[in-house]
Amino acid sequence: MEFPRMKYARNWISIGGAAVTTLSAALFLIVFLLDALGFHTNPYIGIVVFLILPGFFIAGLVVIPIGMWFERRRQVSGRRPSKPTWPILDLNSPVARRTTMVVLVMTFLNVVIVSLAAYRGIEYMDSVQFCGQVCHTVMQPEYTAYQNGPHARVLCVQCHIGPGAPWFVKSKLSGVRQVFAVAAHTYSRPIPSPVTDLRPARDTCEQCHWPAFFHGDKVVTLREYAEDEANTESDTTLQLHIGGGGERADVGEGIHWHVNPGNNIRYWPTDDKRQVIGRVELTTPDGKRQAFTADGVTDAQLANIEPRTMDCIDCHNRPTHTFAASAAKAVDSAMADGFIATSLPYAKKEAVALLTAAYPTREQARDAIATGLTDFYRTKYPDVFAKDQAAVERAARSTEDLYDRNVFPDMNVTWGTYVNNIGHMDSPGCFRCHDGNHKTPDGQAIKQDCDLCHSFQ
Ligand code: HEC
Ligand code: HEC
Ligand code: HEC
Ligand code: HEC
Ligand code: HEC
């Protein structure tokens, strides 16, 4: 059999393939350069350039030899090759030399382009832009909270996926399912938590935070305002026993005692949201195992429940998508931070009333809240309005922002949709276990003394 000649490439299929490949390579390289120089900001351009164009590039490449094969079959049809074997590569033949050179150079270029595309495609799919903005409506609540949270510079994938190939593949498979759900509008509103296939915190959170390093106490002051004319302030100052490594290095102490490597805590939740806990089992470094079962819960009820090993997420379930527990709490913190002036009469009451009313869309909510608050002062307190119009306007803007950060009608997310497990006032939180009702067979309960976790100052 003679060596395949480039002449077979002169057919419409191969030329079409070459054109598609060349065009997509050129477009890809141009946008790749623009992107490297910092010109690319639109998340949808990313999909086209980093995922779809490379697809066309490779499809074009595949089509070229297919066209050549058909062409060769056409040209040699009727002439049976005497020996149907592999082509002989004789580099003494100038044709073979030229073809080999062309194939080698083109292959090298193709490998470079495909690697660039694969590298940038993966990097793009790991970007906050891709995770947070492509499916805009779906991710809007989490993305908004994320941008205002302490982890705004941590990539979504650093918490949701973590490093390593197996989790990468797992996440891409589940991503394909999600794309169909978004296309078919079958996704849940709100997106449910807990995220059951979240990677264990030791591979995500603990890449940056190390439990043995926590120590001592943290003082937090929680400020509340009454719904009276003066917005009367009351403070609670808690000294939280953060703990961690501490003196009992093998088990740790204080609140972060739970995640000291010496201790292992497993629990059996009896609901989907992990808010009701049937049994807790503690294993200490000496091998001692204790089970605390909730009053009235039987072994049979727990038989089919997969126990969960407690980690950071069981308390810090909202480390970054932190929504205010209620409109009242949201207004309290805006007042404590000075965005809503406490000198405005009934500011707390009015803001909370406007924030908890129902609005069909976010745009309508913004208008109604801003005009509602300004009109209240203009009509009811004209002297306050005249004297301090700037404060009224700042309060109106800030109240709009509170709505924007916490309520998402399209996703059915509103005040209290996502509960935070870190305390015990707005939701069961710590008291899911520390409620005095989870006991060992001999009647010893998980402790609930008020100064176990914090002292008041
Ligand atoms: C600091 C870690 C961290 C980062 C960064 C992070 N998340 Fe999350 N995310 C979590 C945790 C923890 C949960 C709740 C898991 C649970 O309760 O099981 C969560 C839950 C979610 C949920 C489920 C719905 C909900 O609100 O509970 C979505 C959707 C989500 N995250 C999207 C994102 C997107 C998009 C980004 C990037 C813009 C992102 N996350 C960045 C930690 C993180
Ligand atoms: C890539 C590194 C990184 C990862 C991963 C990470 N964090 Fe953080 N986290 C930080 C940094 C940095 C800060 C400090 C931010 C600041 O002070 O503004 C922080 C702050 C925090 C805080 C204190 C927040 C506050 O309001 O003071 C908590 C709680 C926390 N992280 C929990 C978690 C949990 C839980 C996870 C896993 C779901 C996690 N982090 C994953 C880097 C990370
Ligand atoms: C038993 C519940 C619980 C577990 C488990 C837990 N934490 Fe905490 N953590 C708390 C509480 C409560 C606070 C103090 C709350 C606050 O700052 O308002 C806190 C505070 C923190 C802070 C802020 C510390 C500071 O000095 O400001 C970080 C960071 C943190 N935790 C990270 C983690 C990480 C990472 C893990 C997992 C290795 C973890 N926590 C496991 C309950 C827990
Ligand atoms: C899944 C169950 C569970 C949850 C949720 C839970 N704990 Fe615990 N906690 C335990 C168990 C079990 C013990 C050990 C038994 C005991 O001390 O009574 C314990 C012990 C403690 C201790 C004593 C540690 C030491 O130094 O010996 C502190 C402090 C504590 N928890 C704080 C918290 C805080 C704060 C929260 C909420 C943010 C919380 N726990 C949520 C199960 C839980
Ligand atoms: C298992 C640990 C634990 C126990 C036991 C505990 N607390 Fe708390 N408490 C917390 C945590 C964690 C917070 C949240 C701190 C924060 O918001 O950062 C909190 C917050 C509070 C707050 C402020 C809440 C707010 O939102 O204004 C009060 C008040 C309070 N606790 C009272 C008590 C009293 C009274 C007891 C005794 C019956 C008690 N706590 C027992 C862990 C505990």
Side-chain angles (χ1 to χ4, degrees):
M1 180 177 149
E2 72 183 314
F3 192 76
R5 283 161 177 268
M6 292 312 276
K7 71 173 184 205
Y8 294 136
R10 274 182 232 119
N11 69 80
W12 287 115
I13 300 179
S14 301
I15 292 173
V20 167
T21 295
T22 316
L23 206 66
S24 40
L27 268 177
F28 172 78
L29 287 175
I30 292 170
V31 187
F32 185 85
L33 277 180
L34 286 180
D35 176 63
L37 296 173
F39 283 108
H40 139 236
T41 46
N42 182 324
Y44 302 104
I45 292 184
I47 294 198
V48 174
V49 174
F50 301 125
L51 306 178
I52 298 180
L53 269 187
F56 273 105
F57 178 81
I58 292 171
L61 276 187
V62 171
V63 163
I64 298 175
I66 294 180
M68 288 170 76
W69 184 77
F70 275 121
E71 180 65 14
R72 178 168 178 278
R73 251 202 10 174
R74 200 178 61 77
Q75 290 190 19
V76 301
S77 63
R79 253 199 299 136
R80 244 171 201 291
S82 50
K83 272 190 284 165
T85 50
W86 286 86
I88 298 157
L89 178 55
D90 180 4
L91 288 181
N92 291 316
S93 136
V95 175
R97 268 209 309 277
R98 217 176 328 119
T99 311
T100 311
M101 271 316 283
V102 170
V103 168
L104 279 180
V105 169
M106 290 313 276
T107 305
F108 175 75
L109 280 180
N110 291 339
V111 167
V112 169
I113 291 178
V114 171
S115 323
L116 275 183
Y119 171 77
R120 196 55 188 86
I122 289 172
E123 199 181 56
Y124 170 67
M125 286 193 286
D126 278 359
S127 69
V128 168
Q129 209 183 38
F130 181 75
C131 306
Q133 286 177 286
V134 166
C135 310
H136 178 75
T137 312
V138 190
M139 287 297 138
Q140 197 184 17
E142 282 73 27
Y143 181 61
T144 307
Y146 160 90
Q147 284 175 303
N148 297 309
H151 295 102
R153 293 288 173 274
V154 175
L155 297 180
C156 314
V157 293
Q158 281 177 288
C159 290
H160 282 280
I161 301 170
W167 281 86
F168 174 80
V169 173
K170 207 174 146 181
S171 75
K172 290 302 161 248
L173 290 180
S174 105
V176 171
R177 216 176 43 239
Q178 288 161 17
V179 167
F180 284 111
V182 170
H185 287 269
T186 55
Y187 53 87
S188 353
R189 281 162 246 198
I191 305 280
S193 25
V195 179
T196 43
D197 50 7
L198 206 66
R199 195 163 177 183
R202 106 184 125 278
D203 300 331
T204 56
C205 320
E206 290 184 29
Q207 301 276 314
C208 299
H209 303 280
W210 189 23
F213 257 154
F214 295 120
H215 58 85
D217 289 353
K218 176 181 179 180
V219 177
V220 295
T221 300
L222 301 156
R223 229 155 245 167
E224 253 180 276
Y225 299 86
E227 296 197 354
D228 56 9
E229 187 170 21
N231 308 303
T232 308
E233 182 183 315
S234 57
D235 288 356
T236 312
T237 299
L238 298 172
Q239 195 171 334
L240 283 158
H241 307 316
I242 298 274
E247 290 179 1
R248 293 142 67 203
D250 54 339
V251 293
E253 57 192 23
I255 296 173
H256 289 95
W257 162 93
H258 303 79
V259 283
N260 189 288
N263 301 313
N264 185 298
I265 300 175
R266 295 198 302 163
Y267 70 85
W268 282 255
T270 54
D271 70 333
D272 290 346
K273 297 201 173 288
R274 300 186 189 144
Q275 289 300 301
V276 186
I277 290 176
R279 174 174 293 159
V280 183
E281 181 196 80
L282 164 66
T283 314
T284 40
D286 53 15
K288 195 174 134 203
R289 189 170 288 186
Q290 275 178 298
F292 304 85
T293 309
D295 277 351
V297 171
T298 61
D299 284 353
Q301 278 170 285
L302 302 176
N304 295 322
I305 297 171
E306 183 69 26
R308 170 166 163 87
T309 302
M310 192 171 177
D311 67 21
C312 318
I313 307 296
D314 294 293
C315 300
H316 296 283
N317 62 331
R318 317 297 313 168
T320 198
H321 314 295
T322 324
F323 302 106
S326 60
K329 286 255 159 120
V331 175
D332 283 341
S333 62
M335 292 185 98
D337 294 342
F339 293 113
I340 300 178
T342 50
S343 59
L344 296 174
Y346 286 115
K348 165 92 184 256
K349 184 162 180 263
E350 286 306 309
V352 169
L354 286 165
L355 287 171
T356 44
Y359 307 97
T361 66
R362 284 158 69 82
E363 290 67 35
Q364 277 159 299
R366 285 198 79 104
D367 287 349
I369 290 170
T371 44
L373 206 61
T374 350
D375 286 354
F376 174 78
Y377 291 106
R378 190 185 293 129
T379 54
K380 299 271 162 56
Y381 290 92
D383 48 328
V384 174
F385 187 73
K387 204 165 71 206
D388 208 353
Q389 198 178 340
V392 173
E393 259 148 33
R394 199 172 51 235
R397 265 200 317 280
S398 162
T399 311
E400 280 179 287
D401 286 348
L402 294 179
Y403 184 92
D404 260 2
R405 286 184 185 191
N406 291 286
V407 185
F408 303 85
D410 286 345
M411 290 303 291
N412 295 332
V413 171
T414 183
W415 306 103
T417 300
Y418 291 114
V419 298
N420 194 332
N421 292 332
I422 208 80
H424 53 82
M425 300 302 257
D426 304 304
S427 66
C430 312
F431 284 11
R432 288 174 298 162
C433 299
H434 291 268
D435 61 351
N437 273 335
H438 289 72
K439 299 192 186 110
T440 56
D442 57 9
Q444 184 198 333
I446 299 180
K447 297 186 207 83
Q448 201 191 10
D449 329 72
C450 301
D451 61 1
L452 178 73
C453 309
H454 50 68
S455 32
F456 294 95
Q457 283 186 329

